[in-house]
Amino acid sequence: MHVVRSREQARRARAGLGSVGFVPTMGFLHDGHLSLVEVAGRGHDAVAVSIFVNPTQFGPGEDFAAYPRDLDRDLAVLESAGVDLVWVPDVADIYPRGAATRVTVDGPIASVLEGASRPGHFDGVATVVTILLGVLAPTGLVLGAKDAQQVTVLRSVVRDLGLDVELIVGPTWREPDGLAMSSRNIYLTEPERAAAPVLRRALAEAEARYAAGLRDAALMRSVVRELVRAEPLAELDYVSVADPDTLAELEWIDDTTQLVDPERKGRGAALVSLAARFGRARLLDNVTLGA
Amino acid sequence: MHVVRSREQARRARAGLGSVGFVPTMGFLHDGHLSLVEVAGRGHDAVAVSIFVNPTQFGPGEDFAAYPRDLDRDLAVLESAGVDLVWVPDVADIYPRGAATRVTVDGPIASVLEGASRPGHFDGVATVVTILLGVLAPTGLVLGAKDAQQVTVLRSVVRDLGLDVELIVGPTWREPDGLAMSSRNIYLTEPERAAAPVLRRALAEAEARYAAGLRDAALMRSVVRELVRAEPLAELDYVSVADPDTLAELEWIDDTTQLVDPERKGRGAALVSLAARFGRARLLDNVTLGA
């Protein structure tokens, strides 16, 4: 396993690898990351992983400094997983002195939901991923479904800028009680950890209601909202029932959209997503209906 | 010569070409463009040219609609020049419905000089060139020295985003009386055309004064300014004597900078640039001192 730091080293190490599935991460890896590594290995000659806690995607007052880090453990885990290349850049490798170029995403897909709660977040994500893709030139970019809006935004960036990479989405990995795996789960106290699976339970209720025929999006939102609000340790930020591509809030969940537009195939009729704070931890989860 | 329109056609046509020198243009080609085509052919297997009048780099009230176009002539000229691939996208090929991603360049290099006179211009340039590079993946990007700030901005974009392309600068091509070739010269009336070489004469005076030892940048600016102002048909926008990399205005032209910083080698001690309006035409020119 090559572990590299500078852009030049990364580019050189990548050059010898054939087709590459690439998993960008902020480190402090869990089984969800490893499932993405496995996805990246399918159909590619090699797997590359980046570990970079990207300062530009954290807002003022967010947890950039506190974000958990454990590089030695991460490298051991990736080595066991058979990863070929790990890029661990310093901030100055990604943003050298004088760097002035930003990739920004206009319009609702980057300004609603996480974009509304975290202004500038997706510009930071779009910029760092464009740089990582520029340097590594991977064949596939593997993203986790848990960060659904990130997937939507980066799908737009890849398409808009004509980047020659296939975007691959890996499923959300969960603890046995349903909590979506996240590096930020480490912030949870014991009672918060016990309360957090309410997010998954609320989304499972949305799936059940959808299966039973519920299509009114406002009603769907209030079903999910009430379930989360019943948990006293959860401080709900938003519940969204939106178009998976535009992230526009829906009035009605239309199962036929994806049948009409072949580009939409498999992306479902609605993305139900939510964010809630449990003490220090801000947690996300989502489910796609009608996929 | 392949002439293609859509992104997919462009990507497919490029795939068979080996190493590619790429010249992005807005069409209405002149000998300056053809000299860049020649530069692009050196050391590359093939030459690609794009012809696209990019709406996002024109401000409100600028000459987007009036910008001269002659596609048939352009294609004939490029065919004679032995070009392998010409990409003539529609606006919707570059900016498909829903496209939301912009490449922006913060800081002085994009906000001074042309950026001050044309707000948003360099965001449009940075975005379209990033898209063209994303789709065509050329080996070399060939730019004309006449648009010196564009070169500086795009050098920054290529470096910041880690784009795997070599930036190559071709010299400014001139009419026999010294006027820099530009598609916008067609806007000049006969008296304006006769007056326009004052720009080159003023820059030649800067070169002569530099050769004679003048290093005071304020004095250099006023020498150039007074020469242009003596021409009644010229409406001067700016005269700049700036650091070639940062575009910060200099107080003193320091010949030794480039000797200290190897990255600066060949980029000179000062960029003397100016812009002036002659009737409908806004013309640029520049010279590098101490290169």
Side-chain angles (χ1 to χ4, degrees), chain B residues 53-74:
Chain B
V53 185
N54 174 36
T56 68
Q57 71 191 68
F58 290 79
E62 288 186 7
D63 59 343
F64 172 65
Y67 195 86
R69 292 156 167 93
D70 190 345
L71 184 59
D72 291 343
R73 196 182 151 276
D74 288 348

Side-chain angles (χ1 to χ4, degrees), chain A residues 2 4 6-21 45-48 84-87 132-139, chain B residues 164:
Chain A
H2 289 275
V4 297
S6 74
R7 289 185 180 208
E8 291 64 33
Q9 289 169 340
R11 205 188 286 274
R12 223 175 307 128
R14 186 271 175 264
L17 291 182
S19 73
V20 167
D45 301 330
V47 174
D84 301 274
L85 169 59
V86 184
W87 186 15
L132 298 172
L133 294 175
V135 173
L136 287 179
T139 322
Chain B
D164 191 17

Side-chain angles (χ1 to χ4, degrees), chain B:
Chain B
M1 185 171 82
H2 287 277
V3 181
V4 296
R5 192 162 283 277
S6 74
R7 290 186 181 207
E8 291 63 34
Q9 290 167 342
R11 204 189 286 277
R12 224 175 307 127
R14 186 268 176 267
L17 292 181
S19 74
V20 168
F22 169 52
V23 185
T25 82
M26 300 212 298
F28 209 70
L29 305 175
H30 51 65
D31 287 354
H33 294 107
L34 293 180
S35 78
L36 299 180
V37 165
E38 203 198 303
V39 168
R42 288 183 218 147
H44 296 119
D45 301 328
V47 174
V49 173
S50 63
I51 298 179
F52 181 59
V53 185
N54 174 36
T56 68
Q57 71 191 68
F58 290 79
E62 288 186 7
D63 59 343
F64 172 65
Y67 195 86
R69 292 156 167 93
D70 190 345
L71 184 59
D72 291 343
R73 196 182 151 276
D74 288 348
L75 293 178
V77 158
L78 293 174
E79 177 117 51
S80 304
V83 166
D84 301 274
L85 169 60
V86 184
W87 185 17
V88 191
D90 282 326
V91 171
D93 293 315
I94 298 297
Y95 305 111
R97 193 174 63 89
T101 310
R102 273 186 309 131
V103 178
T104 68
V105 179
D106 297 328
I109 60 163
S111 61
V112 299
L113 308 176
E114 291 302 293
S117 297
R118 309 182 66 188
H121 171 67
F122 286 118
D123 289 352
V125 169
T127 301
V128 75
V129 172
T130 302
I131 294 169
L132 298 172
L133 294 175
V135 172
L136 286 179
T139 322
L141 168 64
V142 182
L143 301 172
K146 182 175 73 71
D147 297 302
Q149 189 174 7
Q150 176 167 278
V151 171
T152 304
V153 167
L154 290 175
R155 179 178 284 124
S156 170
V157 169
V158 165
R159 184 198 58 203
D160 293 352
L161 297 185
L163 305 180
D164 191 17
V165 67
E166 186 194 2
L167 198 149
I168 302 157
V169 182
T172 301
W173 228 243
R174 298 182 182 281
E175 304 289 351
D177 63 4
L179 177 64
M181 288 193 187
S182 163
S183 305
R184 288 186 169 104
N185 291 349
I186 198 171
Y187 295 150
L188 296 167
T189 64
E190 209 173 308
E192 287 159 4
R193 174 64 190 80
V198 68
L199 301 181
R200 172 59 202 155
R201 282 202 309 277
L203 293 170
E205 181 66 19
E207 291 178 303
R209 295 289 188 102
Y210 180 78
L214 178 60
R215 294 293 180 273
D216 181 315
L219 190 50
M220 188 69 88
R221 275 184 287 269
S222 70
V223 164
V224 175
R225 203 183 288 128
E226 292 320 306
L227 281 167
V228 178
R229 283 198 177 143
E231 169 50 59
L233 291 177
E235 189 190 323
L236 186 62
D237 183 355
Y238 60 79
V239 170
S240 161
V241 178
D243 180 291
D245 275 345
T246 65
L247 301 184
E249 291 299 319
L250 297 173
E251 287 185 44
W252 191 256
I253 302 169
D254 180 356
D255 313 61
T256 62
T257 329
Q258 56 184 331
L259 303 178
V260 180
D261 181 351
E263 258 205 31
R264 292 277 300 250
K265 203 158 168 285
R267 292 228 275 282
L271 173 71
V272 184
S273 63
L274 50 75
R277 195 172 275 282
F278 293 76
R280 278 175 67 209
R282 188 167 175 283
L283 304 183
L284 309 183
D285 206 344
N286 68 80
V287 67
T288 297
L289 301 179

Side-chain angles (χ1 to χ4, degrees), chain A residues 270-290:
Chain A
L271 174 71
V272 183
S273 64
L274 50 73
R277 195 170 275 283
F278 293 76
R280 278 176 67 207
R282 188 167 174 283
L283 304 183
L284 308 184
D285 207 344
N286 68 82
V287 68
T288 297
L289 301 179

Side-chain angles (χ1 to χ4, degrees), chain A residues 212-224:
Chain A
L214 178 60
R215 294 294 181 272
D216 180 314
L219 190 51
M220 188 70 90
R221 275 185 285 270
S222 72
V223 164
V224 175

